[in-house]
Amino acid sequence: AGQPVGAGALDGKSVAIYFAGAWCPMCRDFLPKLKAYMEGSPDKAIVFVSSDFSQEDFNRHFAVMNQDWLAVPYGSEAQNSLKKKYRAWGGREMPTFGAARRSGLPTLVV
């Protein structure tokens, strides 16, 4: 866990990008449903993009997800780029990303 993987780890799978933060009540309610769905879907993969407030929060949040899910490194430029590209971030992140978001949290982009 926590090690970089190549794009080959996603070969042959439908990939969804999951935007969420542990502080978000709707995210906490959605996660068990997403986990249950994914356990029966070996042909699908999740890449997590965090809106947690610290590396420690991210670590705790990611630890409760399925073991085979991947995550964009916390605090990375890739994390911010994906949020901007898909215009998906939490209301608490509006000072950073602005108000022109398409979706709040949780967001699942397939």
Side-chain angles (χ1 to χ4, degrees):
Q3 300 301 315
V5 298
L10 301 172
D11 281 352
K13 296 187 178 204
S14 297
V15 179
I17 305 172
Y18 176 51
F19 298 84
W23 53 267
C24 165
M26 290 181 291
C27 299
R28 290 192 303 268
D29 290 344
F30 180 68
L31 182 58
K33 296 171 182 81
L34 181 58
K35 286 173 65 173
Y37 173 79
M38 290 301 294
E39 286 171 5
S41 303
D43 60 331
K44 295 177 178 32
I46 294 287
V47 177
F48 172 53
V49 178
S50 175
S51 284
D52 293 302
F53 295 129
S54 69
Q55 181 71 52
E56 294 76 26
D57 291 344
F58 164 83
N59 293 345
R60 283 191 294 272
H61 191 188
F62 191 55
V64 301
M65 296 182 186
N66 289 3
Q67 295 296 315
D68 59 341
W69 292 9
L70 303 175
V72 173
Y74 180 80
S76 67
E77 183 53 39
Q79 174 184 302
N80 292 338
S81 293
L82 287 166
K83 289 178 183 184
K84 290 174 190 172
K85 177 177 182 174
Y86 293 106
R87 296 185 0 239
W89 53 80
R92 295 178 178 186
E93 296 174 292
M94 282 188 190
T96 301
F97 297 106
R101 64 183 180 166
R102 179 182 336 175
S103 181
L105 301 178
T107 295
L108 196 62
V109 177
V110 181

